[in-house]
Amino acid sequence: MRIIEDSQVLEALSSAIQKITYHCDPRITEQIGRALEQDPDEYARDVYQAILQNHQISATDQIPLCQDTGSTVIFAELGNEVLICGNTLQEIADQAAAQAAQSCPLRASIVSDPLFKRINSTNNSPAILHIQQVRGDRLKLCVTQKGGGAENMSFLTMFTPATPLEDIRESIIQSIIDTGSRACPPLVIGIGIGGNFERCAVLAKRALLEELGRANPIAEYADLERDILQELNSRGCGAQGMGGILTAIAVHILQEPCHIASLPIAVNIQCHVHRHIEVEL
Ligand code: SF4
């Protein structure tokens, strides 16, 4: 059994959150730079320039990429030969969110009670943690700081298995287009298909954190990813809803087996401030 001290995990998580607060996924910067060269739309080019300038200022002056510094979401793959000594992973994740909120500093973005009191927890805790036990002696942590605007535009539909694929595809595309500028495009789209009601939502969030632009290993799903991406970019919504060729940067699908009577599909939307990182201990 390999022992990892809780302090090691805390340090790794805190510095991961700090890093993504100031540094967007470089592949986002690359794609927006490419769109700036190719897009004939003048308003869209203004938006690309503003986003690229924001990336640069954020990295050089250590100013958060967005005033919405997000909620901390962590996917942990915990090897079955790993023992974390001291605090639980949830306690460590909460401490990391709080520590980063203070040291960056980050806007306090979490309310303790969601419906009635809505009092700010003041330190960005708790973090949202998903743990999957895997074989091995490693701990892998995929971390994201997820903005509220894009999260609010995400959706889940319980389709029936009899629904034609064309209807499903159109429903997903149109629902994303209908979000207009509210999710802060250009977007990254995570789609979870199958599992059940709650599982497909988790898959959709996890799909966002896949390497940007990677294709699903199964050809039909890879084709659907490509098709949805092309269609989103052909409908003219564009960066910040101002038109142009870049509404979405990537579409990732993750799928799992599901009940014979069900076809749950969740779409998790991420804004152009795609703050995510992977660390392994
Ligand atoms: S959705 Fe993203 S870009 Fe828009 S306000 Fe929230 S974090 Fe910022």
Side-chain angles (χ1 to χ4, degrees), residues 83-232:
L83 178 67
I84 298 171
C85 221
N87 287 317
T88 67
L89 207 41
Q90 181 66 58
E91 287 163 341
I92 302 167
D94 295 347
Q95 284 168 12
Q99 211 170 75
Q102 198 177 22
S103 57
C104 287
L106 306 181
R107 184 186 77 176
S109 297
I110 304 296
V111 289
S112 301
D113 176 82
L115 186 58
F116 295 107
K117 299 195 178 77
R118 289 195 70 86
I119 293 171
N120 200 301
S121 74
T122 72
N123 64 2
N124 269 357
S125 75
I128 294 169
L129 175 67
H130 306 279
I131 304 176
Q132 185 189 3
Q133 195 179 32
V134 296
R135 287 194 171 272
D137 64 356
R138 311 295 295 170
L139 169 65
K140 188 161 112 182
L141 301 159
C142 297
V143 186
T144 182
Q145 291 291 108
K146 187 73 168 61
E151 190 72 359
N152 288 348
M153 295 298 110
S154 303
F155 54 92
L156 188 156
T157 311
M158 299 301 288
F159 289 98
T160 70
T163 315
L165 178 58
E166 183 46 39
D167 293 0
I168 293 172
R169 172 189 171 277
E170 184 55 29
S171 158
I172 292 172
I173 292 165
Q174 196 51 50
S175 302
I176 296 169
I177 292 293
D178 288 346
T179 67
S181 63
R182 287 171 294 169
C184 302
L187 309 168
V188 177
I189 307 294
I191 304 179
I193 304 182
N196 62 2
F197 181 79
E198 79 276 9
R199 183 67 188 166
C200 77
V202 174
L203 285 175
K205 176 66 54 61
R206 184 66 187 81
L208 285 179
L209 309 184
E210 297 279 291
E211 187 186 334
L212 204 76
R214 75 92 186 95
N216 190 293
I218 298 177
E220 290 100 322
Y221 288 102
D223 287 348
L224 187 58
E225 288 173 336
R226 224 179 355 259
D227 179 36
I228 292 173
L229 180 63
Q230 275 171 7
E231 196 56 32
L232 286 172

Side-chain angles (χ1 to χ4, degrees), residues 8 17 29 93 121 143 174 268 280:
Q8 275 177 273
I17 297 170
T29 313
S121 74
V143 186
Q174 196 51 50
N268 198 219
E280 196 170 306

Side-chain angles (χ1 to χ4, degrees), residues 66-70 146-151 182-184 240 270-273 275:
C66 185
Q67 92 291 340
D68 178 358
T69 49
K146 187 73 168 61
E151 190 72 359
R182 287 171 294 169
C184 302
Q240 296 298 338
Q270 175 67 303
C271 59
H272 64 84
V273 177
R275 296 167 290 212

